[in-house]
Amino acid sequence: MAQRAVWLISREPGTPFCGTVRFSRRYPTVEKRAKVFNGASYVPIPEDGPFLKALLFELRLLDDEEDFIESRDSCSHINKTSVYGLLIGGGELWPVVAFLKNNMIYACVPLVEQTLSPHPPLISISGISQGFELLFGVQDFLSLSQKNDTELNTKLNQLPDLLLQACPFGTLLDANLQNSLDSINFASVTHSQKQPAWKVGTYKGKPQVSISITEKVKSMQYDKQDIADTWQVVGTVTCKCDLEGIMPNVTISLSLPTNGSPLQDILVHPCVTSLDSAILTSSSIDAMDDSAFSGPYKFPLTPPLESFNLCYYTSQVPVPPILGFYQMKEEEIQVKITVNLKLHESVKNNFEFCEAHIPFYNRGPITHVDYKVSFGQLEVFREKSSLVWIIGQKFPKSMEINLSGTVTFGAKSHEKQSFDEICIGGTAYLKTGN
């Protein structure tokens, strides 16, 4: 799907319209299609001035506007989608995708290939999601290594040429504008193989493939016989392939360590060309058995230029890496806490960092803490009503650590305090991270 027009507007309070159009691009061929598809409900793309005023009015960014306007601010017009309708020239320009980020308004008008009266469901308009993707790509390009207005102006001057590559005739091919910039830099290179539309530019240099695996253990431990503890590993494999050629073919193979648990619920990047059916059918919903596929996991692919997430997966582990016990007793304006943590013997006792967060919701600020800790140090965040137990880079030789103490709270104020509808009274939790 295509875009009818794109705008970048800098937020500037004090100017006549509280903003200035820094960049705009219209696509006449897409506009002709919109006129045919929309029929009697068609509203043409306005000039920058009327569009700017209408958009700032809808976003409540005009300095001299009234506090409440029925047509925009009533309960029946609550907007939760960043998709707006602008009243321009007696008609409604819809849908307008727009959002404000770092004093810059990013906006576009997607093509809708049907009548606009009544408004079709947003989920049926694929141009809206592509419009968001385009605007986020422009935002990422402008914010990358930007230090001052001079660099911003330089990047704004590059946008016309970049959009010719990334979004020709209003159709998004690549939301990564840095790829388009690289393509322009390599424009003099002749290609014997046809360049695919989704891959803009080629790599020149030493071939290398970088792979990074990140795993997070999600574990909930209740220390109750009637409630079973739960835990699961969620992993991400990130790749960056610097390879010469238009369509290089790569196969990345992942093998489990000794006694490693099989990967499940695997989701792969679209650049993966084929997969063993056993990889796709391994699910955490099914009970674990000896027939579960344990690799090696091979991913043949044609990689893009940028870094990408090759796959996501889940995995079951026999026990959580850290076993914990947390008890809290409330006495008027005080709570007594007891925390015991034990590192499992199968886990290597060496981290970049390890800490435990102990939030106290629905209470006033912390006024006093009397505590005893067997290892590490405790930091108190009084206004946030939370404690952070900094364990460090390893546990002691005993693999067990303890924290006990009494926390005193002040009266609740009208200032914003930590709030949670579930953590009321003695219901609380402790969260560890490393």
Side-chain angles (χ1 to χ4, degrees):
M1 294 298 295
Q3 306 300 313
R4 296 168 59 186
V6 180
W7 290 269
L8 296 182
I9 301 168
S10 60
R11 175 86 172 99
E12 299 176 0
T15 58
F17 289 151
C18 307
T20 302
V21 177
R22 303 294 297 273
F23 172 85
S24 65
R25 167 63 60 87
R26 293 163 175 77
Y27 297 95
T29 56
V30 181
E31 193 65 14
K32 290 182 179 179
R33 294 165 58 194
K35 189 173 184 179
V36 173
F37 284 122
N38 301 157
S41 60
Y42 167 77
V43 174
I45 296 293
E47 295 297 323
D48 289 348
F51 178 84
L52 173 62
K53 186 174 182 179
L55 179 61
L56 293 178
F57 170 83
E58 188 65 25
L59 297 178
R60 295 181 60 89
L61 296 178
L62 290 175
D63 286 343
D64 58 349
E65 68 182 65
E66 301 176 18
D67 291 336
F68 180 84
I69 299 177
E70 176 69 21
S71 62
R72 180 194 63 192
D73 302 325
S74 67
C75 294
S76 60
H77 292 83
I78 296 177
N79 190 301
K80 298 182 180 179
T81 61
S82 295
V83 178
Y84 304 91
L86 306 185
L87 298 179
I88 297 177
E92 182 188 44
L93 181 63
W94 185 92
V96 178
V97 176
F99 60 88
L100 174 65
K101 186 72 174 180
N102 296 331
N103 286 324
M104 184 74 76
I105 302 173
Y106 301 80
C108 67
V109 180
L111 172 67
V112 181
E113 295 184 344
Q114 56 184 297
T115 181
L116 301 178
S117 181
H119 290 170
L122 296 183
I123 196 172
S124 67
I125 306 174
S126 60
I128 290 180
S129 60
Q130 292 196 8
F132 275 114
E133 187 176 3
L134 171 61
L135 296 180
F136 286 140
V138 174
Q139 175 197 331
D140 290 343
F141 173 73
L142 294 183
S143 60
L144 183 64
S145 301
Q146 179 187 321
K147 298 180 180 179
N148 50 51
D149 289 339
T150 301
E151 292 184 6
L152 174 61
N153 292 332
T154 300
K155 291 191 173 185
L156 288 173
N157 292 334
Q158 292 173 334
L159 276 182
D161 291 336
L162 295 182
L163 288 183
L164 285 177
Q165 295 275 345
C167 193
F169 301 103
T171 301
L172 181 64
L173 301 182
D174 189 356
N176 189 332
L177 298 191
Q178 188 61 43
N179 287 345
S180 300
L181 186 61
D182 294 339
S183 175
I184 294 174
N185 293 337
F186 288 113
S188 59
V189 180
T190 57
H191 305 300
S192 57
Q193 187 177 3
K194 186 177 180 181
Q195 183 88 356
W198 57 266
K199 187 173 184 180
V200 183
T202 57
Y203 172 79
K204 290 294 181 179
K206 181 180 179 181
Q208 58 183 0
V209 177
S210 302
I211 300 176
S212 173
I213 300 177
T214 303
E215 289 189 341
K216 294 183 179 180
V217 180
K218 297 183 177 180
S219 171
M220 290 183 288
Q221 302 171 41
Y222 304 94
D223 194 44
K224 293 184 177 180
Q225 293 182 352
D226 57 336
I227 303 178
D229 296 343
T230 62
W231 57 87
Q232 186 182 56
V233 174
V234 179
T236 303
V237 180
T238 303
C239 297
K240 179 70 166 68
C241 299
D242 295 326
L243 301 171
E244 294 187 347
I246 303 299
M247 296 283 285
N249 294 316
V250 183
T251 298
I252 295 177
S253 180
L254 303 179
S255 299
L256 295 176
T258 304
N259 299 325
S261 300
L263 307 186
Q264 300 174 319
D265 307 321
I266 297 177
L267 297 175
V268 299
H269 191 275
C271 71
V272 176
T273 55
S274 64
L275 272 181
D276 190 313
S277 59
I279 296 179
L280 295 175
T281 56
S282 181
S283 170
S284 61
I285 299 177
D286 301 327
M288 291 284 291
D289 55 40
D290 295 337
S291 63
F293 184 69
S294 57
Y297 303 86
K298 295 184 177 181
F299 302 91
L301 60 131
T302 301
L305 288 175
E306 68 275 7
S307 176
F308 65 99
N309 293 327
L310 173 64
C311 69
Y312 302 90
Y313 63 86
T314 65
S315 179
Q316 302 294 329
V317 291
V319 293
I322 297 179
L323 300 175
F325 169 81
Y326 177 35
Q327 185 180 63
M328 185 179 76
K329 294 183 179 180
E330 186 172 12
E331 298 177 357
E332 296 181 353
I333 62 172
Q334 294 182 333
V335 295
K336 293 183 177 181
I337 62 171
T338 301
V339 181
N340 301 320
L341 298 178
K342 180 179 179 181
L343 183 67
H344 193 267
E345 58 186 10
S346 64
V347 179
K348 185 178 180 181
N349 190 14
N350 187 14
F351 320 105
E352 289 186 8
F353 74 95
C354 183
E355 58 188 27
H357 292 245
I358 311 173
F360 299 96
Y361 291 101
N362 311 316
R363 304 175 189 274
I366 296 175
T367 59
H368 180 73
V369 179
D370 183 17
Y371 68 92
K372 181 179 179 180
V373 61
S374 66
F375 189 80
Q377 61 185 29
L378 190 70
E379 289 193 359
V380 181
F381 292 86
R382 300 182 184 276
E383 296 303 321
K384 294 184 178 180
S385 301
S386 67
L387 306 177
V388 176
W389 184 7
I390 301 176
I391 300 167
Q393 295 182 323
K394 60 173 55 180
F395 275 60
K397 291 183 178 180
S398 64
M399 299 295 190
E400 294 188 40
I401 55 177
N402 305 290
L403 166 66
S404 60
T406 302
V407 184
T408 305
F409 299 91
K412 289 185 180 180
S413 65
H414 295 291
E415 298 177 2
K416 189 174 182 181
Q417 299 285 349
S418 299
F419 176 78
D420 189 280
E421 295 181 351
I422 298 177
C423 296
I424 298 174
T427 304
Y429 70 89
L430 175 146
K431 180 172 66 174
T432 61
N434 55 44

